[in-house]
Amino acid sequence: MKRIRYHHGDLRATLMDACLRLIENEGLAAVSLRRVAREAGVSSGAPYHHFADRAALLSALSIDGFQQLATYMITARAASPDPLTALTELGDAYVRFSREHPAQFRLMFRPELSQPEKHPAANAAGDAAFNVLVDTVADGVAAGALPADRADTLAVAWWGLAHGLASLWLDGHLEKRSEQMGTHAPELVDTIMRMFTTLIPPDPSTA
């Protein structure tokens, strides 16, 4: 097998990329450190320089995924003119991330594989991504556009909506339903996220 060349210090990234390719092509069940090494074109012992076992590798991919997701959301929030628009844009960013990184997205929400209880950094990365949403909701509360007593509930509701749309799209259901409705999946996602923000009552204390 032709070995993939990588610069010194890039072995970890090379192995992570190889693992994602393996997941995309053959599924999570195909992942082992030996198979990842073969996919990367390195020796069978090379992965152990960076990952103690399969779960450690999958945890690293989960952490990287949540960090990328947070970046998508932070960028969307920064480009939005107000908190309610930001919530819509965050939803679009969440779904877009899932579309651009489907294998990684699925892995991020499979704790039995990455074993976050043994790798707490995975939980921390997930919390950091979620906190981008929490901070955006807090902006809405501060602006009087969202009720303070429902802030936590709204954050979870938004997450459930965005994650559900992302999962439906990855499974092929959203595109099918969009066609039946005479629209396209990206437009449907945007419409639903905007509809969500219009249904939220403002903070009554500011009325």
Side-chain angles (χ1 to χ4, degrees):
M1 173 182 291
K2 182 180 179 181
R3 291 181 179 272
I4 299 174
R5 294 187 178 184
Y6 55 89
H7 297 291
H8 179 70
D10 287 350
L11 175 59
R12 188 175 188 274
T14 298
L15 292 167
M16 291 172 67
D17 289 343
C19 186
L20 283 177
R21 288 197 305 272
L22 191 59
I23 295 172
E24 290 166 357
N25 294 332
E26 300 184 36
L28 281 161
V31 174
S32 69
L33 291 187
R34 184 177 294 274
R35 278 298 310 277
V36 170
R38 190 188 313 163
E39 178 72 19
V42 300
S43 69
S44 60
Y48 293 96
H49 291 292
H50 294 280
F51 307 106
D53 52 26
R54 177 179 185 264
L57 171 57
L58 295 178
S59 179
L61 284 170
S62 180
I63 292 168
D64 177 73
F66 279 118
Q67 290 173 340
Q68 289 190 64
L69 175 59
T71 298
Y72 273 59
M73 295 169 68
I74 289 169
T75 301
R77 180 186 176 200
S80 301
D82 58 76
L84 293 186
T85 301
L87 285 177
T88 298
E89 296 302 323
L90 258 64
D92 291 342
Y94 192 101
V95 175
R96 187 172 71 255
F97 171 81
S98 74
R99 293 285 296 162
E100 294 177 358
H101 306 274
Q104 200 161 9
F105 181 80
R106 293 182 189 278
L107 171 63
M108 288 155 55
F109 298 95
R110 294 284 299 274
E112 77 278 12
L113 296 172
S114 58
Q115 299 180 13
E117 72 281 0
K118 296 182 181 179
H119 307 280
N123 278 330
D127 288 343
F130 185 74
N131 283 337
V132 179
L133 168 61
V134 171
D135 291 343
T136 306
V137 172
D139 289 343
V141 171
L146 299 174
D149 61 342
R150 299 182 187 178
D152 292 342
T153 301
L154 286 172
V156 174
W158 179 98
W159 179 33
L161 179 58
H163 191 83
L165 290 170
S167 299
L168 286 170
W169 198 341
L170 289 183
D171 291 339
H173 300 301
L174 193 65
E175 287 184 310
K176 178 180 178 181
R177 188 63 62 185
S178 298
E179 291 176 1
Q180 293 174 347
M181 296 170 63
T183 185
H184 301 285
E187 286 78 9
L188 184 58
V189 168
D190 187 71
T191 299
I192 291 172
M193 296 308 302
R194 290 184 188 281
M195 185 183 298
F196 174 76
T197 62
T198 64
L199 296 174
I200 303 172
D203 188 341
S205 66
T206 64

